[in-house]
Amino acid sequence: MILANAFCFFFFLDETLRSLASPSSLQGPELHGWRPPVDCVRANELCAAESNCSSRYRTLRQCLAGRDRNTMLANKECQAALEVLQESPLYDCRCKRGMKKELQCLQIYWSIHLGLTEGEEFYEASPYEPVTSRLSDIFRLASIFSGTGADPVVSTKSNHCLDAAKACNLNDNCKKLRSSYISICNRETVSMERCNRRKCHKALRQFFDRVPSEYTYRMLFCSCQDQACAERRRQTILPSCSYEDKEKPNCLDLRGLCRMDHLCRSRLADFHANCRASYRTLTSCPADNYQACLGSYAGMIGFDMTPNYVDSSPTSIVVSPWCSCRGSGNMEEECEKFLRDFTENPCLRNAIQAFGNGTDVNMSPKNPSFQATQVPRVEKTPSLPDDLSDSTSLGTSVITTCTSVQEQGLKANNSKELSLCFTELTTNIMPGSKKVVKPNSGPSRARLSAALTVLPVLMLTLAL
């Protein structure tokens, strides 16, 4: 009897320890079946090498051609193909922004996920791999040419956006691609059109996809102390050609047009995934990653959903696509919600301010300096030309760092326009998952508690 009880005890203990050590117990039931994402082009090759996956994928593509989702699922063969492909590498595949076969990769991704979408979703999952880099990585690269160590008093008087253009002109690749899009977007056409917007958008996409972000971010997100600087920042993408139009379309119509293009649809989904305001994080950004949000914002430039600053105010950061919610009918609430993700987005605003201040959530202040200024009256002035006549000699400006209110002995400013430093959060996020897994929670802890509860009972049984 004692031997039998001892055997049962050690068997139970062994099984408990095995379950606690297994990956599924560490990740939680919601992540059961999760696989590391692979490149969709590679996933397609793996699927093509397997006859069952290959035939099912061809079936699904035929099912999606010209049919809505309800019609597709009414067909048993289509439904069976979809179920098989959900267990294939194609289901978890992702793409890299700017990769060589990006469009092909995105076409493969959406060929699977459009079949899984129930109607028109407000927020769609991003087809791109999660961003792991931080703004601090950009700052380290930018410090090569940013004049780090210069007098901060001088830097506050400098035009940081002009300095960014000068820095771009010192880099051959940046200068070449910037010259290209300025030339194309400023070129008048034979017709009545101001410019060829399609070619202008293509040139802008090439610039932001091929030029390192330590150059492009400085031009897009430079901090400004006066209107001249803010107007130069607004003119970065030559909005008269790439952004503005005679009339503003409805935002939902513009979204629908964007979602008809795989690239535009993907960039918009990526923006929502990385910039959607989160009130569970200190910075209002998902995973407190400013870099992911700014990269997603820059990724939309050169498409129908191109965003830009709405005015040349140096103190108020408001961006928006060129659209409005007039004529939305009973969809006005959804339209306003969509537009607010740009115009009233605390994550995006904080990210832009953080870059302008030279700070990240895991960085401490380098040159604390705090200035509480009132919003000046902004008067309309002529647009500044964004030409290539910038001097190649760098100014003495630096990207000022985040300020410490406590060190300056000043009262905290609760304005939305002020961004402060934050400490790094100690949370874990699985790639491709929107759920945060806390270190001290989850099923593994529950199992451990259960094991410790039963253990004394077994010990008493063994003693008897």
Side-chain angles (χ1 to χ4, degrees):
M1 183 66 181
I2 295 177
L3 291 176
N5 288 337
F7 175 78
C8 292
F9 167 71
F10 287 113
F11 176 78
F12 172 80
L13 188 60
D14 178 68
E15 289 300 315
T16 302
L17 293 176
R18 284 176 182 270
S19 65
L20 290 175
S22 64
S24 59
S25 68
L26 296 176
Q27 296 174 0
E30 69 275 9
L31 298 177
H32 177 69
W34 180 86
R35 296 180 294 268
V38 296
D39 182 297
C40 289
V41 177
R42 175 58 181 160
N44 187 43
E45 294 173 353
L46 294 173
C47 180
E50 185 183 337
S51 59
N52 187 34
C53 181
S54 179
S55 62
R56 298 291 186 174
Y57 184 46
R58 285 196 301 270
T59 300
L60 182 64
R61 296 187 68 172
Q62 293 172 358
C63 292
L64 288 174
R67 302 186 189 183
D68 59 30
R69 186 177 187 274
N70 293 331
T71 304
M72 183 198 77
L73 291 182
N75 186 305
K76 292 184 179 180
E77 189 176 357
C78 296
Q79 189 174 8
L82 188 60
E83 290 175 357
V84 170
L85 291 174
Q86 287 185 63
E87 300 300 324
S88 73
L90 286 170
Y91 179 72
D92 291 315
C93 73
R94 293 293 184 271
C95 304
K96 291 182 180 179
R97 197 185 121 193
M99 63 184 291
K100 187 176 182 181
K101 297 181 179 180
E102 181 180 0
L103 181 57
Q104 180 186 353
C105 184
L106 294 172
Q107 288 172 341
I108 295 170
Y109 174 89
W110 290 113
S111 68
I112 298 292
H113 288 268
L114 285 181
L116 298 172
T117 303
E118 302 223 7
E120 188 80 358
E121 292 187 339
F122 192 89
Y123 294 117
E124 295 182 318
S126 173
Y128 293 107
E129 293 181 0
V131 176
T132 57
S133 58
R134 317 289 297 194
L135 276 188
S136 51
D137 301 323
I138 304 297
F139 297 146
R140 278 193 289 271
L141 294 172
S143 64
I144 299 174
F145 55 79
S146 65
T148 301
D151 186 356
V153 177
V154 177
S155 83
T156 58
K157 299 179 180 179
S158 301
N159 186 324
H160 292 173
C161 297
L162 177 60
D163 295 333
K166 294 175 182 178
C168 179
N169 286 342
L170 289 178
N171 179 275
D172 292 338
N173 187 43
C174 186
K175 181 179 180 179
K176 176 184 175 182
L177 292 175
R178 180 172 177 252
S179 302
S180 176
Y181 86 73
I182 288 177
S183 174
I184 293 172
C185 297
N186 273 329
R187 189 179 303 157
E188 295 185 3
T189 59
V190 179
S191 62
M192 297 296 292
E193 297 295 328
R194 168 71 177 81
C195 66
N196 189 322
R197 175 168 289 191
R198 183 181 62 82
K199 290 184 177 180
C200 176
H201 277 177
K202 182 179 180 180
L204 280 169
R205 291 197 301 270
Q206 290 177 341
F207 176 77
F208 286 103
D209 282 346
R210 298 180 184 180
V211 176
S213 51
E214 56 263 30
Y215 294 99
T216 58
Y217 282 18
R218 289 190 75 194
M219 297 176 65
L220 271 181
F221 310 122
C222 42
S223 61
C224 290
Q225 303 294 326
D226 55 55
Q227 187 176 353
C229 173
E231 177 61 19
R232 173 175 280 275
R233 179 176 62 187
R234 193 185 73 85
Q235 289 288 333
T236 297
I237 65 170
L238 275 73
S240 60
C241 179
S242 67
Y243 177 69
E244 299 166 358
D245 209 341
K246 296 176 182 177
E247 295 181 359
K248 286 187 175 182
N250 180 271
C251 291
L252 296 183
D253 292 340
L254 188 64
R255 183 185 68 176
L257 184 65
C258 174
R259 286 184 170 179
M260 292 176 65
D261 177 77
H262 287 308
L263 271 172
C264 186
R265 183 177 203 140
S266 301
R267 300 297 176 90
L268 179 60
D270 195 56
F271 170 77
H272 282 145
N274 292 313
C275 292
R276 183 180 176 184
S278 172
Y279 299 100
R280 296 183 179 181
T281 59
L282 293 175
T283 62
S284 297
C285 287
D288 285 303
N289 194 335
Y290 285 146
Q291 156 70 352
C293 179
L294 295 183
S296 298
Y297 175 91
M300 288 195 298
I301 296 176
F303 294 94
D304 293 321
M305 198 57 69
T306 296
N308 196 29
Y309 298 92
V310 299
D311 56 36
S312 55
S313 169
T315 55
S316 175
I317 298 177
V318 181
V319 299
S320 172
W322 184 261
C323 65
S324 72
C325 287
R326 289 194 301 269
S328 298
N330 59 357
M331 301 289 288
E332 185 173 2
E333 184 177 348
E334 181 175 345
C335 181
E336 292 289 349
K337 180 182 177 182
F338 175 81
L339 190 57
R340 283 196 301 270
D341 280 337
F342 293 90
T343 59
E344 301 177 21
N345 189 326
C347 168
L348 179 60
R349 182 177 59 248
N350 290 342
I352 293 174
Q353 288 177 328
F355 183 84
N357 293 334
T359 62
D360 199 1
V361 290
N362 59 347
M363 294 180 65
S364 57
K366 295 178 183 177
N367 299 317
S369 60
F370 179 85
Q371 290 182 341
T373 57
Q374 294 182 346
V375 180
R377 183 179 178 183
V378 180
E379 298 180 359
K380 196 169 183 179
T381 58
S383 299
L384 298 178
D386 193 356
D387 52 34
L388 288 173
S389 61
D390 306 318
S391 170
T392 56
S393 60
L394 285 176
T396 57
S397 73
V398 295
I399 304 175
T400 58
T401 59
C402 183
T403 61
S404 171
V405 176
Q406 289 79 7
E407 290 183 13
Q408 296 298 315
L410 298 175
K411 187 177 292 185
N413 188 344
N414 294 324
S415 169
K416 290 184 178 179
E417 308 306 326
L418 180 62
S419 176
L420 300 177
C421 289
F422 302 98
T423 57
E424 188 71 34
L425 291 182
T426 56
T427 56
N428 301 321
I429 296 182
M430 294 300 298
S433 173
K434 296 180 181 179
K435 299 185 179 180
V436 178
V437 182
K438 296 182 180 179
N440 296 325
S441 64
S444 61
R445 188 178 179 183
R447 292 181 183 178
L448 184 58
S449 299
L452 293 176
T453 303
V454 178
L455 197 57
V457 179
L458 289 175
M459 291 292 292
L460 181 60
T461 303
L462 184 61
L464 295 175

